[in-house]
Amino acid sequence: MIILIGSEKGGVGKSTLATNISALLIGQGKDVILVDSDRQSTSANWAQDRLETNKKKIECVRQYENIKQTLQGLDTRYDIVVVDCQGRDSKELRTGLLAAHISITPFRPSQWDLDTLPTMAEMINDAKDLNPNLKAYAVITMSPTNPQINELSQARACFKNYSMITLIKTAICDRKVYRDAGSLGLGVSEMDNDKATMEISNMVKEIMKDFL
């Protein structure tokens, strides 16, 4: 299974999702490989830092430009291929969508981020012409933990006219533990934080429910 995390916008938590999904699934006994197609190499650096821990190694490769065939080849060798794409409309993102079984587009609950929704919807529609089995999901990231702030409900309303992208119920909150885990080569599921672990676990359950 190929799970691609991509967005037209940077700074929305793509690498955070990619690394935490990888850590969670390898902890569940899955054979996981992480593909970093973002030249900033955040996920690749995370995988390198992970070698200094006592946690199970996660294989990671860097791949750029047309990544479709590479992803399809890795899909025959691993249970799960997790792809961290660049934060822009790129060749990596467009060709990756042609191979993916699942795409996840993270959005922060801000208007500037949500303004990219029409472009992402068009990109996913184009990909589905050639990859009709692609399941496209969106997730709200860096959501405020203060229940008095209604940014989350406002963000959810923006998806009503975009049926090609399913906004999952789980939101990823703005928690320091995500930054702490990332700097250590760990996932939050390997840290002592039940709330963050539940967020990642529930997100994965939602996006994989049709494949289990």
Side-chain angles (χ1 to χ4, degrees):
M1 179 186 299
I2 301 169
I3 302 173
L4 181 143
I5 299 94
S7 170
E8 190 196 8
K9 194 173 188 303
V12 293
K14 295 180 292 73
S15 298
T16 295
L17 295 186
T19 54
N20 276 282
I21 290 170
S22 298
L24 178 74
L25 291 175
I26 205 165
Q28 295 176 351
K30 302 293 186 183
D31 191 14
V32 179
I33 187 166
L34 180 58
V35 178
D36 194 338
S37 66
D38 186 338
R39 296 178 192 274
Q40 290 185 351
S41 298
T42 302
S43 286
N45 291 337
W46 174 87
Q48 184 65 33
D49 291 340
R50 188 176 178 83
L51 298 177
E52 304 300 318
T53 74
N54 62 356
K55 301 300 182 182
K56 189 173 181 180
K57 177 183 177 181
I58 295 177
E59 299 289 343
C60 182
V61 297
R62 294 179 174 92
Q63 188 68 34
Y64 309 116
E65 300 297 329
N66 189 331
I67 63 174
K68 177 184 176 183
Q69 289 188 341
T70 297
L71 300 184
Q72 291 173 330
L74 292 172
D75 188 40
T76 66
R77 297 162 46 199
Y78 293 87
D79 297 333
I80 307 288
V81 182
V82 179
V83 190
D84 181 3
C85 273
Q86 295 188 46
R88 60 184 179 86
D89 184 350
S90 64
K91 190 171 185 178
E92 290 83 356
L93 178 53
R94 287 188 177 269
T95 59
L97 286 170
L98 298 180
H101 300 101
I102 294 171
S103 71
I104 306 173
T105 303
F107 291 89
R108 293 184 304 180
S110 73
Q111 193 58 54
W112 284 357
D113 286 64
L114 294 165
D115 283 346
T116 67
L117 180 53
T119 303
M120 282 305 305
E122 181 180 0
M123 199 181 306
I124 287 167
N125 264 342
D126 290 345
K128 284 189 172 184
D129 286 341
L130 297 173
N131 183 12
N133 294 322
L134 172 66
K135 300 283 188 181
Y137 297 93
V139 60
I140 300 299
T141 57
M142 304 180 194
S143 178
T145 55
N146 185 345
Q148 302 298 322
I149 300 175
N150 63 355
E151 284 182 329
L152 183 56
S153 60
Q154 293 173 350
R156 292 189 186 282
C158 295
F159 285 83
K160 291 181 179 179
N161 297 322
Y162 296 94
S163 59
M164 72 293 295
I165 303 176
T166 300
L167 178 63
I168 66 172
K169 295 178 181 178
T170 303
I172 305 300
C173 290
D174 186 13
R175 303 183 191 279
K176 183 176 179 292
V177 67
Y178 286 106
R179 298 185 289 276
D180 292 343
S183 67
L184 296 172
L186 300 174
V188 293
S189 58
E190 298 165 325
M191 306 277 282
D192 187 20
N193 191 299
D194 292 340
K195 290 183 178 179
T197 298
M198 187 64 68
E199 288 171 359
I200 295 297
S201 178
N202 286 345
M203 180 189 69
V204 169
K205 287 177 183 176
E206 283 194 69
I207 65 170
M208 294 182 67
K209 64 181 185 299
D210 293 331
F211 296 87
L212 298 175

